[in-house]
Amino acid sequence: ANSNYASNEYFMPVMGLIFLRHAYSRYLAVKDGIEANLPRRGGKARPLSKEDFSQKGAIFLHPEAQFDYLVSLPDSAKRDRAIQHAMDTIEEDYDGLKGVLPKGEYSELDNNVLGQLLRTLNPEELKRASGDIFGRIYEYFLTQFADLKAHDNGEFFTPVSLVRMITNVIEPDHGKVLDPAGGSGGMFVQSAHFVERMQRNPSEALTFYGMEKNPTTIRLAKMNLAVHGLEGDIQKAITYYEDPHELVGKADFVMSNPPFNVDEVDADKIKNDPRLPFGLPGVNKAGKVSNGNYLWISYFHSYLAPKGRAGFVMSSQASSAGRDEAKVRQKLVETGNVDVMISIRQNFFYTRTVPCELWFFDRAKPAKRKDQVLMLDARNVYRKVTRKIYDFSPEQMQNLSAIVWLYRG
């Protein structure tokens, strides 16, 4: 309120400070336990190292990168330089974050505004908070910025309710997890939470691969993974024309929320793509694929390993689309791999009011269910969060998941 910045200007600096505060929170949560177990010589423990913290799903922070130090700086100090230095020390230790964290953006903000922002993000209550409270705060800010359309028209963010529903159905508990339309990394974070609920270490159980066209969104995703103590290989790519990970037939789990109803994909460039075994879903007179939904659906199926599962958000139009799209859909259904379909009402997204559907593939579906698809109409299942935003309550999520488990026996 006390600055003249538009939301798209303070978006990255704020997310950067939330990243730092969250990193500090996780650092403090594991530090005492690490120190207690350090080997000692002559009564002296060796210094703390990055490896100590990586094993605990946290980031190692040098003293000058710790949030309390930044908050304690006097008004006479150049806070922007101190924050930039803090970010530099983290990037030096973590190759995956090199060039990712916001730095230069802080010199655009007033020194007093930075001081106020640091203090706002450091209330006493947070110092005593436990669990993944900062992960939720990071998600909250992503949500709010998505609502403001502060970046990429808000399309970088998939509502947590929908991502959790996807993880509950596909149960990503091992191997390679791929998101070909990566966004801000929410699919990976919720997969990690799923593994954590099983009392296992997600960094050991899962390997994350992503593709995303927008460089700023890639930065957000890498920060989102890092604050949860995770790493992922997220490549800049336009998925229609590029396949940097070469994971056709190799992904154990595919999760995604691709852009809906894209109509500008060049048909000539993709006509021989091995990821499109069911053919192109219709080409218009301009030589463009008239609707890209079934390109994405084909990609998700093609990436799956022989026992792989996929879960993704899709436009409601796709399940009833006619003509060439219907032909692709028929071939897909005939594989026997379509497992579950869930209809979701409008107002679950922050930036568009359209209804959607969750699709699920299972390439290891038992023979007795090969010709069955569970169709769930969940359009009347919702909780009102605000006048224009809906989600699932934990109980609603549990009930929908239970129906899937019963269907699977």
Side-chain angles (χ1 to χ4, degrees):
N2 297 322
S3 70
N4 299 315
Y5 306 105
S7 62
N8 62 330
E9 292 175 297
Y10 62 76
F11 171 60
M12 276 310 276
V14 169
M15 293 312 293
L17 288 182
I18 293 168
F19 163 82
L20 266 185
R21 183 61 186 81
H22 185 116
Y24 184 53
S25 177
R26 284 186 82 101
Y27 172 88
L28 291 178
V30 300
K31 177 172 171 274
D32 289 349
I34 291 170
E35 285 180 329
N37 291 307
L38 284 176
R40 296 175 180 275
R41 273 195 185 166
K44 283 189 73 174
R46 66 162 173 78
L48 292 165
S49 73
K50 170 192 159 184
E51 286 68 30
D52 296 325
F53 286 84
S54 296
Q55 287 166 12
K56 299 287 184 182
I59 291 177
F60 173 64
L61 296 171
H62 294 274
E64 64 271 34
Q66 294 175 20
F67 212 81
D68 276 356
Y69 166 77
L70 295 171
V71 172
S72 71
L73 290 170
D75 286 340
S76 57
K78 288 188 164 28
R79 292 189 176 99
D80 61 327
R81 289 189 187 171
I83 295 168
Q84 286 175 43
H85 177 65
M87 299 295 191
D88 280 333
T89 63
I90 294 171
E91 288 192 358
E92 280 167 22
D93 282 338
Y94 294 89
D95 288 343
L97 290 173
K98 276 197 167 59
V100 167
L101 303 179
K103 294 194 282 280
E105 292 93 330
Y106 293 103
S107 57
E108 304 292 320
L109 292 171
D110 179 79
N111 202 46
N112 290 332
V113 169
L114 279 175
Q116 188 183 347
L117 195 51
L118 286 162
R119 289 188 291 276
T120 302
L121 292 173
N122 202 42
E124 278 302 313
E125 297 86 344
L126 278 182
K127 295 175 186 175
R128 296 189 298 274
S130 60
D132 189 36
I133 189 78
F134 254 92
R136 285 195 239 156
I137 290 170
Y138 194 87
E139 280 170 357
Y140 170 80
F141 273 88
L142 283 174
T143 305
Q144 296 304 305
F145 281 122
D147 202 16
L148 290 168
K149 301 187 181 177
H151 161 62
D152 202 22
N153 212 22
E155 289 191 358
F156 60 91
F157 185 73
T158 308
V160 176
S161 251
L162 298 184
V163 186
R164 283 194 186 142
M165 194 68 234
I166 289 172
T167 56
N168 284 0
V169 175
I170 69 169
E171 301 175 326
D173 59 359
H174 70 277
K176 297 181 176 74
V177 180
L178 171 68
D179 185 346
S184 52
M187 300 285 178
F188 301 143
V189 170
Q190 290 303 328
S191 299
H193 288 336
F194 181 83
V195 170
E196 283 169 350
R197 288 197 292 274
M198 300 164 73
Q199 310 300 314
R200 290 168 55 210
N201 182 346
S203 295
E204 292 172 3
L206 304 172
T207 314
F208 300 119
Y209 298 89
M211 286 125 81
E212 169 57 49
K213 70 180 192 306
N214 187 298
T216 302
T217 307
I218 292 173
R219 292 170 69 192
L220 275 179
K222 289 186 174 182
M223 286 160 60
N224 196 9
L225 286 173
V227 290
H228 291 90
L230 305 167
E231 288 182 28
D233 183 354
I234 302 172
Q235 299 284 333
K236 184 177 183 301
I238 297 173
T239 305
Y240 305 114
Y241 309 123
E242 300 165 277
D243 184 22
H245 297 302
E246 298 183 343
L247 285 178
V248 170
K250 297 176 185 172
D252 298 289
F253 298 94
V254 174
M255 311 169 68
S256 205
N257 172 24
F260 297 172
N261 306 318
V262 173
D263 60 1
E264 285 298 308
V265 181
D266 190 326
D268 202 49
K269 285 186 182 174
I270 63 168
K271 63 187 179 188
N272 298 317
D273 191 331
R275 299 174 299 167
L276 301 172
F278 309 121
L280 294 184
V283 180
N284 61 26
K285 289 175 183 172
K288 308 288 186 189
V289 172
S290 37
N291 190 312
N293 290 340
Y294 275 90
L295 296 178
W296 289 105
I297 293 168
S298 297
Y299 298 153
F300 302 149
H301 187 267
S302 297
Y303 281 125
L304 289 178
K307 293 186 177 179
R309 284 180 175 178
F312 54 92
V313 189
M314 185 43 64
S315 163
S316 295
Q317 297 172 23
S319 58
S320 57
R323 302 180 66 177
D324 291 329
E325 289 172 273
K327 291 175 187 170
V328 174
R329 183 168 63 250
Q330 180 178 343
K331 291 174 186 172
L332 192 62
V333 171
E334 287 170 352
T335 65
N337 298 330
V338 182
D339 191 28
V340 182
M341 307 273 292
I342 305 178
S343 291
I344 309 288
R345 63 163 295 138
Q346 68 268 33
N347 291 93
F348 264 69
F349 286 98
Y350 298 98
T351 55
R352 50 182 188 243
T353 56
V354 294
C356 69
E357 286 169 352
L358 305 182
W359 289 47
F360 299 92
F361 298 153
D362 185 353
R363 292 195 89 154
K365 223 162 88 170
K368 65 180 180 183
R369 284 201 289 106
K370 273 290 182 188
D371 59 351
Q372 295 177 3
V373 179
L374 175 65
M375 313 284 275
L376 276 178
D377 185 350
R379 287 174 296 182
N380 290 320
V381 181
Y382 63 92
R383 173 177 67 175
K384 226 170 181 176
V385 181
T386 69
R387 187 173 53 81
K388 57 177 187 169
I389 301 290
Y390 298 173
D391 73 356
F392 292 133
S393 69
E395 295 79 13
Q396 289 166 339
M397 187 98 63
Q398 192 70 23
N399 286 341
L400 290 169
S401 303
I403 295 168
V404 177
W405 298 333
L406 289 166
Y407 155 71
R408 289 182 178 150

